[in-house]
Each structure stands twice: as structure tokens, then as C-alpha cells.
Amino acid sequence: ESRKLKALEKYKKGLMQKLFPAEGKTLPEWRFPEFRGKSEWRIKPLGKICTNYDSRRIPITEKDRVKGEIPYIGASGVIDYINDFIFDEDLLCVSEDGANLVARTYPIAFSISGKTWVNNHAHVLKFSHKYTQDIVESYLNMINLQDFLTGMAQPKLNRAKLDIIPIPLPEEEEQQKIADCLSEVDKIITEQSNKVEQLKAHKKGLMQGLFPSLEEADV
């Protein structure tokens, strides 16, 4: 099941390489039939297609956090749950710093929705349309961002560099089609990921039942 998950993730990466134009080009290798022969994709800097909400971020030290049910977001996702929120809408977070910007163990771009609190380690972006947000999220997680990073010991993607990342975008109708396609693939990947986690939990529980505890072993 783990191999199946890796195969699905590899499939999505390959699909995106076909659905998005290669670097320096304005047309993808694959296009849905209804868009073949249509206009070329436009390349726009990220800062021109979204609104940046970084100024609204507020970090809270661990000792000052009041526990609750609101996700407290850091560079790679949820790091805690607190009792208050800053945002209550669909947004895209992009890692601002951390080794993961180079290692890419986790997605560096991830969507958040509903009541959330974001600290100063993740950029916060608002798009006019959810499908544009979805495309940008997938694209940022696919491309190499090394040329936009600063810092050696602690990699950083600052606001100035973030704003100039070139994003290829087709017309809105085609954006919607691509976003829907990738969303279906993501659903399958999520289902498979959950299945793997459930199997791991089942194995752990099985092992605990098959082996004596340390206390029992000492007796």
C-alpha cells in the first residue's frame, strides 16, 4: 500500500509536468481537447495574481498559547491548536523559512480554510478564485525554487523573492478544468495516504497485543 501511494504521487508529478508549460515555454505538452488551439498561457509574477496578507500574521510563543480547537499554522502546516483566530477564509500558505524549502519533505505550499491563526514563518496569500489558488499551490510544490532562496544555514523565501516567482496561467475556464483534474487526483492520494496510516496503526496495535509490555517482561 505504501508503494501504491508513492506511485500515485509520482503519477501526479508526471501529470503536472505534462499539464503545465516547461520552463521558458507558454504552452503545455498536454491540453484538454476543448482548449487545443486556444491562446497561449501568460506568465505573471506571483505578486501580481494574489493579495499578500503577511502583515496580518502574529506569532505566539508556546508558553503564551491558550489551548483550543483553532489550527495554529507554521512553515509546514499545523503545529498547535489555540483558542483564537486571525483568518476565516480560503488562503494559500507558503513556507517562508526552514530546511524543508530545500529538502521538500513536506509541501511548501498548502491551502488553509476556515478559522486559522498563522505565525510569521508562512506567507499568507489570497486569490480571487479558488481554482487559481489550487493551480498555484500545485505549481509551487512542483518547481525548484532554489534560485529564489536566500541564506545558507537557514534557507529563506522572503517576500521580495516570493513576489517575483513566475507563474504560468491559462484563461480562467482552463484553470478551472486543470484544478478540477488535480483535485480528483489529490482525493485519491489522500484516501491512499489515510489507508496507509490506518494500516500502520493496526500493525502497531497488533504488535502491542502480540508482545508483552516492559512491565510484564520484568515480572
Side-chain angles (χ1 to χ4, degrees), residues 39-213:
S39 59
E40 297 182 348
W41 290 35
R42 291 168 294 171
I43 311 296
K44 296 184 178 182
L46 181 55
K48 296 292 185 181
I49 60 175
C50 65
T51 302
N52 190 293
Y53 284 174
D54 283 5
S55 61
R56 292 169 55 183
R57 303 174 303 177
I58 304 174
I60 311 175
T61 58
E62 188 171 1
K63 66 180 179 64
D64 293 329
R65 295 175 205 159
V66 179
K67 297 298 181 183
E69 299 181 351
I70 308 286
Y72 180 73
I73 310 292
S76 297
V78 179
I79 58 176
D80 205 350
Y81 289 88
I82 60 175
N83 71 332
D84 203 354
F85 65 94
I86 302 174
F87 304 107
D88 187 9
E89 54 191 313
D90 291 326
L91 298 165
L92 182 67
C93 288
V94 181
S95 304
E96 181 169 350
D97 49 35
N100 188 55
L101 281 169
V102 175
R104 306 296 282 266
T105 306
Y106 307 101
I108 64 157
F110 51 94
S111 292
I112 59 175
S113 183
K115 293 180 172 63
T116 53
W117 189 297
V118 184
N119 69 16
N120 59 332
H121 293 289
H123 298 289
V124 184
L125 310 178
K126 174 68 176 179
F127 293 82
S128 299
H129 302 288
K130 183 64 165 59
Y131 50 78
T132 306
Q133 176 180 315
D134 292 342
I135 284 181
V136 172
E137 176 182 355
S138 295
Y139 185 72
L140 290 177
N141 285 324
M142 178 184 72
I143 64 172
N144 187 332
L145 293 174
Q146 193 67 45
D147 291 344
F148 301 94
L149 303 182
T150 60
M152 296 296 291
Q154 175 74 343
K156 185 178 180 68
L157 176 61
N158 62 40
R159 168 74 185 277
K161 293 291 187 179
L162 178 77
D163 283 349
I164 63 172
I165 295 174
I167 306 293
L169 286 175
E171 296 298 328
E172 291 186 359
E173 188 178 355
E174 191 170 1
Q175 288 183 41
Q176 179 77 68
K177 187 81 173 184
I178 294 171
D180 289 345
C181 173
L182 295 177
S183 176
E184 289 302 313
V185 176
D186 283 336
K187 287 179 184 177
I188 298 171
I189 291 174
T190 298
E191 289 171 1
Q192 185 64 21
S193 179
N194 290 339
K195 185 174 183 179
V196 170
E197 290 305 313
Q198 289 168 4
L199 286 169
K200 287 179 179 178
H202 174 68
K203 180 186 175 184
K204 182 178 181 181
L206 188 62
M207 295 277 289
Q208 290 171 342
L210 289 172
F211 286 82
S213 66

